Amino acid sequence: MNHRSSQEQSQKEIMTVLHKLENQVAFNLREVHNRDQEVNTALHKLDKEIEHELYKQYSQLTFSSCKDVPSKISGTYLIRVKRDSEPFEVYCEQKSFGGGWIVFQYRYDGSLEFYRGWHEFHDGFGDLNKEFWLGLEKVHQITSARKHELVVELKDFNGTYKYARYDAFEIGSESEQYNLKDIGKYSGTAGDEMSNYKGRKISTKHHDNAENSMGHCAQRHEGAWWHWYCNLANLNGQYMDVEYEGSGAFYYFDGSFDQRLRYSRMMIREKE
């Protein structure tokens, strides 16, 4: 074997060794990656278990608002508005818009009838883990005790999502017919419709406070709301994809046309 052939043979042997080393390195890296994935999966599972255990513990405690709840899990918690008041259960949204929100209206599948009377809207109805209305008296107590902001989330039957956010929100007492006492500066994508109702009293199925010449708006639109000539939004109307004699939950997106709603959620959060 000449010198050149010997050199080529040595290079082939070196390349074979290097190739084996490359395969071994790749195998080792895969093993490390798989082990990392196993470790990460185990750690993620452990984090979730700890998170849920903390949620169970926190859900037994009483807080002044959802904003004070340390848990990042959305769910039901007890809040006490004032030191001498009775605590009550609310649903806290702990993910969207930075968390700390008390949900007071939630609709997503039409399983709950919202065409109801004054006492039911006063007390609240539904299941806090499903569709529900928290209750006007509770919302009054919450918003009159401390300053709050509002977020209204909406989705139509085409899946279009919009939201309206206001930097202030308060409703009056029952003696004031739960009027919309304050609605702050608007931001968002849905359009500023809630500002139209500032100062308006709420009307329900058998309780007309609309103070206009257009008839009983809550009956006409089949939903309790701060009606006025009659309205540009009615999140508590009948759950339907088509308009039927003016009824149906809707919102004028961007003030241009009314959209029937598949999903709506109204949330308040205590301000700094």
Side-chain angles (χ1 to χ4, degrees), residues 218-233:
Q219 289 185 358
R220 178 178 172 182
H221 290 279
E222 298 186 6
W225 197 251
W226 294 273
H227 291 290
W228 178 68
Y229 285 106
C230 269
N231 47 260
L232 297 173

Side-chain angles (χ1 to χ4, degrees), residues 74-112:
S74 298
T76 56
Y77 297 88
L78 282 172
I79 67 167
R80 190 193 305 274
V81 178
K82 297 178 181 178
R83 289 184 179 181
D84 59 347
S85 63
E86 286 295 318
F88 53 84
E89 201 171 41
V90 299
Y91 188 94
C92 296
E93 170 53 54
Q94 300 296 80
K95 301 290 185 183
S96 299
F97 297 95
W101 297 90
I102 296 172
V103 181
F104 72 89
Q105 191 259 23
Y106 188 33
R107 307 183 76 182
Y108 62 91
D109 64 2
S111 59
L112 183 65

Side-chain angles (χ1 to χ4, degrees), residues 1-268:
M1 182 181 294
N2 58 35
H3 178 70
R4 183 174 180 179
S5 297
S6 177
Q7 190 176 44
E8 289 177 351
Q9 182 64 33
S10 296
Q11 287 178 349
K12 285 181 179 179
E13 291 173 356
I14 292 171
M15 291 299 294
T16 299
V17 171
L18 288 175
H19 185 64
K20 287 181 178 179
L21 284 172
E22 285 177 353
N23 289 338
Q24 187 63 47
V25 168
F27 175 80
N28 291 341
L29 286 173
R30 283 196 300 271
E31 285 294 298
V32 170
H33 179 69
N34 290 337
R35 288 174 186 172
D36 282 346
Q37 283 188 321
E38 290 175 1
V39 170
N40 288 335
T41 299
L43 288 174
H44 181 70
K45 183 180 179 181
L46 181 60
D47 285 343
K48 287 295 181 184
E49 289 174 353
I50 292 172
E51 195 175 46
H52 280 280
E53 184 58 37
L54 286 173
Y55 167 69
K56 286 195 293 184
Q57 299 301 319
Y58 286 135
S59 64
Q60 304 302 312
L61 302 177
T62 303
F63 301 92
S64 62
S65 73
C66 288
K67 198 171 183 179
D68 292 333
V69 175
S71 173
K72 299 300 180 184
I73 295 182
S74 298
T76 56
Y77 297 88
L78 282 172
I79 67 167
R80 190 193 305 274
V81 178
K82 297 178 181 178
R83 289 184 179 181
D84 59 347
S85 63
E86 286 295 318
F88 53 84
E89 201 171 41
V90 299
Y91 188 94
C92 296
E93 170 53 54
Q94 300 296 80
K95 301 290 185 183
S96 299
F97 297 95
W101 297 90
I102 296 172
V103 181
F104 72 89
Q105 191 259 23
Y106 188 33
R107 307 183 76 182
Y108 62 91
D109 64 2
S111 59
L112 183 65
E113 176 61 65
F114 268 68
Y115 190 35
R116 298 173 182 246
W118 183 268
H119 294 297
E120 289 174 288
F121 271 90
H122 172 283
D123 296 337
F125 52 87
D127 184 331
L128 291 178
N129 289 297
K130 297 178 182 178
E131 292 196 333
F132 69 92
W133 173 265
L134 181 61
L136 289 165
E137 184 58 31
K138 293 185 181 74
V139 178
H140 160 64
Q141 290 179 21
I142 294 166
T143 59
S144 62
R146 293 181 289 275
K147 292 185 179 298
H148 280 72
E149 56 183 322
L150 168 74
V151 162
V152 181
E153 292 188 295
L154 308 161
K155 190 180 290 185
D156 66 18
F157 281 89
N158 294 319
T160 303
Y161 172 85
K162 304 271 187 177
Y163 76 94
R165 188 169 182 172
Y166 295 87
D167 64 5
F169 180 76
E170 181 184 351
I171 67 170
S173 64
E174 184 172 21
S175 64
E176 297 170 297
Q177 305 295 285
Y178 296 118
N179 61 327
L180 186 52
K181 296 191 77 169
D182 192 15
I183 188 77
K185 184 180 179 182
Y186 162 82
S187 62
T189 58
D192 179 14
E193 303 302 343
M194 292 298 294
S195 294
N196 294 297
Y197 305 114
K198 186 173 183 179
R200 303 298 167 187
K201 302 171 184 177
I202 200 158
S203 295
T204 63
K205 188 176 184 178
H206 301 125
H207 205 100
D208 184 16
N209 282 318
E211 299 177 349
N212 65 63
S213 59
M214 298 185 70
H216 195 325
C217 294
Q219 289 185 358
R220 178 178 172 182
H221 290 279
E222 298 186 6
W225 197 251
W226 294 273
H227 291 290
W228 178 68
Y229 285 106
C230 269
N231 47 260
L232 297 173
N234 178 25
L235 306 193
N236 294 327
Q238 292 293 324
Y239 191 90
M240 58 178 68
D241 193 9
V242 295
E243 183 175 357
Y244 176 70
E245 295 183 354
S247 61
F250 71 90
Y251 193 97
Y252 274 83
F253 281 179
D254 301 317
S256 56
F257 59 98
D258 63 318
Q259 290 294 95
R260 302 291 136 179
L261 299 174
R262 183 176 68 82
Y263 170 103
S264 67
R265 188 164 69 159
M266 302 180 76
M267 309 187 293
I268 48 178

